[in-house]
Amino acid sequence: MSDSNQINEVISTEHSGDVALVCIDNPPVNATGHAVREGLEIAFAGLIADASVKVIALYCAGRTFVAGADIREFGKPAKAPGLSSVLNVIEQSPTPVISIIHGTALGGGLELALATHARVAIEGAKIGLPEVLLGLLPGAGGTQRLPRLSGLAFALDVILSGRQVPVQEALEKGAVDRVVAGEPRMVALAAAQQVLDGTLATRRTVDLSAEYDRAVIDATLAGVKKKNPHLISPVKCVEAVAACNLPLAEGLAVERQCFMDCMQTPQRGGLIHAFFGERAVSNIPEAKGETRPLDRIGVIGGGTMGSGISTACLSAGFPVRLIEVKEDALARGVATITKNLDGAVSRGKMTSEARDAALARLEPSLAMEDLADVDLVIEAVFEKMEIKQEIFGKLDTICKPGAILASNTSYLDINAIAEMTSRPQDVLGLHFFSPAHVMRLLEIVQGAKTAPDALATGFLLAKKLKKVGVLAQVCDGFIGNRILGHYSKVISYLVLDGASPQQVDNALEGFGLAMGPHKVGDLAGLDIGYMTRQRKKEEGLDPNERYGGAVADRICEQGWYGRKTGKGYYLYESGAPVPNPEVAGFIDEVRAADGITPQSFTDQDIIDRYMTAMISEAARVVEDGTAKRPVDVDMVFLFGYGFPRFRGGPLHYADMIGATELVRRIEAYAKTDPNYWQVPEILRKMAADGTTFADLNQ
Ligand code: 3H9
């Protein structure tokens, strides 16, 4: 006989003989929001006081055990009871309490399980403490209880990596006590019975002590500071774990302080914006509609992009037909794909069996007619409108009705490409970022006539490739490259006006960029930009626009294209980049020719100008609808351009500066270059009415 009691909308209890069950049912991921905490507090108070209850088993309904605290509550006023105090009540319960883990026990969820007296996991479950990925640390006992159960080294690894630990490993390390098959409620009843008959032991972490090795902690701290020089939370994680040799209550107090320190940082805001932003980009009607069949993919072009796209599609399980015009180009494409897949095997991302299976799905061909039965074609040939138009004209005659015809163009007008077909509703842009099998961004470009189901299939592809698909409208460069095209000019203006290339690089690396823009230029090859500038010069430059390319032109005229020639902005003879002393001479010459008196810039001036330029164009991209919302711009930059994740993205960062200050800055900069520095209308309006980009994400 069992009777059940609904404590509140998310917590219920049930009695079965000597056993009481507590169930959390708070979809989608059973996060410990206020109702869960309050319900648990009430439920446990009642059950602990009930002398007829000899064991309490806690489990969750739905797809997973508790996946953490409710992140949406962070930054809002805290509502009692706090998770930690609920967990202390559970841990101190004189009646044994056990937890049943299925799905993922993450963050506050794992901390809840650690506060119970034994953990039974269901096969396939995973545990983890991913708070560090959100700029936080486990703030409800994880830094104190995990080292007590599983040792210092394992706890540091789990807390600092944020990784999801497979259940078998968790069992070996003592973080869970048993792994069984079954459904949570039935497992809860069986495990509770085992506690009663003495075959499942229970214990409290408060009664355990953690093994302690100061040298391990110091070495970990040094490693963390070196690996993540910008990030605050990894340091705070180590600081909190370092308190695990204290009595539990004191250790918990240290952890609390570290957690609150992290809560106050803008990094927490930036990383949580990134977490929700990654999900928000596909949480739009355009991504959710009916999709078309997507089983077989054709890729045209075996160059770097085509091979990378093919690699991504093959790795996701798609059969791919790769088309090239010449035998040797096709062979090069197949070789690149093989190399990409081999790389995945050697990095441990793929088994060699999976690599062999992926290669078996690749069908290289010299005949475009072989695309007759594919569901989606991705064209990735040379960036020239005439070539692309010719290809789409041919595809129109070859492909089956309803097949989606996509271009991987980075800049060109999708509508002009679609016009070459009798089916513009089937045409869209799928803009991958190099290396396409690694970079997670996919801009999904909607043409004027793209059909809703073709667009939704673009998002389906992104999901299958585990990429972050972002909707963009047609314009020169779409979201990312258009903004890049604008702010990269300010980099050269800064150098012309007085900064050195390495000062610019150092300042922006200090801001969080993995590599400064001049080092990136050297890596990518300075000749690409040089050729583009030459072409634009031939077409005729805008007379109102300040020309920023003169220094780079001088460097390229020496035959120095960066790393591949051993010289560029930097010298690479000894491996690590050393500033190229001759570049300073070119800069002086250009300044003299242009009559520029160099001024001095602080690192902050450099960051401010760079970010204000990026934000200005990003604002215009939102204003004219190229991006649907500010969050879409932010995710483009996080997943495609190496923008520091902890800063959330350019428009999240803009909100921290505020529209009023941004307008003031642009107006001040405009005094010397009114053509480049113009206040976007949307920013002026936001400054006037006190709104933010975040308001536009609602
Ligand atoms: C913490 O615990 C702090 C404590 O140490 C201290 C407290 C004092 N809160 O990812 P999905 C939403 S910090 C609120 O698409 P999946 C998510 O936004 C937390 N909402 O599913 C989405 O909503 P929508 C530590 C959350 O199956 C929906 O759930 N925990 C939370 O691919 C489905 O999510 C973490 O960092 C949350 N905590 O992956 C875990 N989590 O449908 C974060 C998810 O409206 N979560 N949502 O778009 C995850 O890693 C994944 O969501 C998970 C499921 C693996 C659980």
Side-chain angles (χ1 to χ4, degrees):
M1 272 292 283
S2 80
D3 65 284
S4 57
N5 179 20
Q6 195 70 39
I7 303 287
N8 65 10
E9 66 272 31
V10 289
I11 303 293
S12 59
T13 59
E14 186 184 341
H15 288 77
S16 174
D18 293 344
V19 172
L21 300 185
V22 178
C23 175
I24 305 176
D25 186 2
N26 184 29
V29 295
N30 289 316
T32 59
H34 177 251
V36 169
R37 300 191 307 270
E38 192 175 59
L40 285 177
E41 188 179 59
I42 297 168
F44 274 92
L47 296 175
I48 291 168
D50 185 342
S52 72
V53 174
K54 301 288 184 266
V55 55
I56 304 169
L58 171 73
Y59 74 99
C60 286
R63 66 204 243 204
T64 180
F65 191 74
V66 175
D70 188 337
I71 310 170
R72 290 175 211 271
E73 288 182 356
F74 293 168
K76 297 184 185 151
K79 268 168 107 179
L83 184 59
S84 302
S85 71
V86 176
L87 300 199
N88 288 339
V89 168
I90 292 175
E91 174 155 75
Q92 280 150 24
S93 162
T95 313
V97 183
I98 59 171
S99 46
I100 313 303
I101 297 174
H102 77 290
T104 43
L106 300 177
L110 178 58
E111 293 175 298
L112 168 61
L114 295 177
T116 67
H117 308 150
R119 287 147 293 282
V120 176
I122 295 180
E123 281 170 358
K126 288 184 175 157
I127 65 160
L129 292 169
E131 287 88 341
V132 74
L133 307 175
L134 303 172
L136 289 169
L137 56 101
T143 66
Q144 305 303 303
R145 292 193 176 103
L146 190 59
R148 281 174 164 78
L149 282 167
S150 303
L152 188 64
F154 178 72
L156 282 168
D157 162 34
V158 171
I159 291 168
L160 288 169
S161 67
R163 74 187 170 96
Q164 293 186 10
V165 180
V167 76
Q168 214 50 44
E169 186 185 352
L171 181 68
E172 280 158 27
K173 298 290 181 187
V176 303
D177 300 282
R178 196 162 283 180
V179 180
V180 299
E183 167 281 318
R185 183 176 168 279
M186 295 313 289
V187 169
L189 284 169
Q193 207 52 52
Q194 288 160 5
V195 175
L196 288 177
D197 65 25
T199 53
L200 175 61
T202 56
R203 58 192 173 154
R204 295 184 180 85
T205 46
V206 65
D207 301 327
L208 307 175
S209 54
E211 48 149 282
Y212 201 73
D213 187 340
R214 191 69 229 182
V216 169
I217 290 170
D218 290 343
T220 306
L221 189 59
V224 153
K225 286 183 174 166
K226 191 158 179 258
K227 188 168 164 224
N228 300 306
H230 300 286
L231 297 183
I232 297 161
S233 72
V235 173
K236 289 285 167 187
C237 285
V238 182
E239 213 175 285
V241 174
C244 72
N245 61 339
L246 300 174
L248 185 69
E250 287 173 42
L252 289 175
V254 173
E255 177 193 81
R256 188 79 205 146
Q257 187 54 51
C258 292
F259 183 77
M260 293 318 289
D261 291 347
C262 288
M263 267 295 199
Q264 310 307 329
T265 66
Q267 296 192 353
R268 189 262 307 159
L271 288 165
I272 288 181
H273 177 66
F275 176 85
F276 285 122
E278 183 174 345
R279 288 154 180 82
V281 287
S282 56
N283 203 358
I284 52 173
E286 292 87 336
K288 290 179 173 170
E290 286 274 307
T291 55
R292 296 188 188 178
L294 184 60
D295 297 319
R296 183 172 288 279
I297 295 177
V299 175
I300 306 179
T304 310
M305 283 314 290
S307 302
I309 294 168
S310 301
T311 308
C313 296
L314 290 166
S315 306
F318 287 105
V320 172
R321 212 158 278 164
L322 176 70
I323 309 293
E324 256 296 353
V325 278
K326 292 212 174 98
E327 194 74 61
D328 56 341
L330 190 61
R332 269 199 304 277
V334 173
T336 311
I337 293 166
T338 310
K339 196 171 122 235
N340 291 344
L341 292 170
D342 285 345
V345 174
S346 64
R347 287 196 307 277
K349 301 244 175 229
M350 189 181 237
T351 61
S352 44
E353 292 76 28
R355 183 245 345 253
D356 295 345
L359 280 173
R361 285 192 291 274
L362 176 65
E363 294 174 50
S365 164
L366 293 171
M368 198 123 78
E369 287 67 28
D370 284 341
L371 295 176
D373 64 344
V374 302
D375 301 307
L376 163 70
V377 180
I378 306 171
E379 163 278 310
V381 304
F382 198 64
E383 194 76 340
K384 245 195 153 86
M385 180 57 95
E386 304 83 79
I387 302 179
K388 295 197 190 266
Q389 285 184 324
E390 192 192 321
I391 287 176
F392 275 74
K394 277 196 196 146
L395 288 176
D396 193 24
T397 63
I398 293 169
C399 293
K400 67 181 181 187
I404 297 173
L405 312 181
S407 173
N408 175 52
T409 178
S410 330
Y411 290 93
L412 300 176
D413 182 352
I414 297 294
N415 295 324
I417 296 172
E419 264 168 32
M420 303 312 288
T421 72
S422 61
R423 38 172 137 174
Q425 72 280 6
D426 298 339
V427 178
L428 79 171
L430 289 176
H431 181 208
F432 290 78
F433 289 72
S434 187
H437 56 296
V438 177
M439 296 297 284
R440 290 196 59 212
L441 178 62
L442 178 65
E443 280 183 321
I444 301 171
V445 188
Q446 179 176 20
K449 296 190 180 153
T450 307
D453 58 352
L455 202 58
T457 311
F459 280 93
L460 176 65
L461 176 76
K463 194 170 166 201
K464 296 220 169 203
L465 301 187
K466 296 197 173 62
K467 295 205 183 286
V468 179
V470 178
L471 180 66
Q473 300 301 318
V474 174
C475 72
D476 187 9
F478 314 126
I479 298 175
N481 279 349
R482 171 168 151 198
I483 298 171
L484 170 73
H486 183 75
Y487 73 78
S488 35
K489 290 177 191 157
V490 91
I491 298 164
S492 50
Y493 298 158
L494 278 162
V495 170
L496 289 178
D497 290 340
S500 68
Q502 54 275 23
Q503 190 198 356
V504 173
D505 282 1
N506 290 345
L508 295 175
E509 284 166 17
F511 178 72
L513 266 59
M515 203 186 259
H518 298 96
K519 287 188 194 139
V520 172
D522 276 359
L523 185 65
L526 300 176
D527 47 332
I528 306 168
Y530 182 64
M531 284 187 309
T532 310
R533 287 192 300 279
Q534 295 308 309
R535 200 190 67 230
K536 288 198 170 161
K537 275 185 195 167
E538 280 161 27
E539 289 164 9
L541 294 174
D542 176 357
N544 295 317
E545 187 178 307
R546 185 177 180 196
Y547 183 64
V551 173
D553 288 348
R554 297 277 167 104
I555 297 173
C556 290
E557 280 153 14
Q558 319 305 309
W560 302 341
Y561 299 142
R563 266 179 198 258
K564 60 185 169 192
T565 59
K567 274 186 182 181
Y569 286 101
Y570 295 85
L571 304 177
Y572 295 91
E573 280 138 15
S574 54
V578 177
N580 181 348
E582 290 175 79
V583 170
F586 300 150
I587 295 171
D588 286 342
E589 283 166 32
V590 175
R591 284 180 189 154
D594 290 357
I596 298 167
T597 310
Q599 51 181 302
S600 69
F601 292 101
T602 62
D603 286 0
Q604 192 59 47
D605 291 334
I606 291 170
I607 295 165
D608 288 350
R609 282 179 185 251
Y610 175 87
M611 281 313 303
T612 307
M614 189 187 293
I615 291 165
S616 299
E617 192 62 13
R620 285 188 274 267
V621 156
V622 171
E623 188 168 34
D624 69 16
T626 300
K628 201 171 165 77
R629 299 155 303 178
V631 68
D632 297 282
V633 175
D634 285 343
M635 295 310 113
V636 163
F637 274 79
L638 294 194
F639 292 101
Y641 293 80
F643 192 87
R645 188 177 167 96
F646 69 88
R647 300 218 184 258
L651 293 178
H652 179 81
Y653 182 74
D655 277 350
M656 286 192 287
I657 303 168
T660 307
E661 166 62 11
L662 287 163
V663 170
R664 187 203 64 73
R665 276 187 203 168
I666 297 171
E667 287 176 344
Y669 302 152
K671 289 191 179 121
T672 49
D673 188 352
N675 181 62
Y676 182 75
W677 292 105
Q678 296 184 26
V679 180
E681 257 329 292
I682 188 173
L683 215 50
R684 211 181 275 291
K685 190 169 170 299
M686 282 166 53
D689 59 21
T691 54
T692 62
F693 285 108
D695 295 329
L696 300 173
N697 286 329
Q698 304 308 321

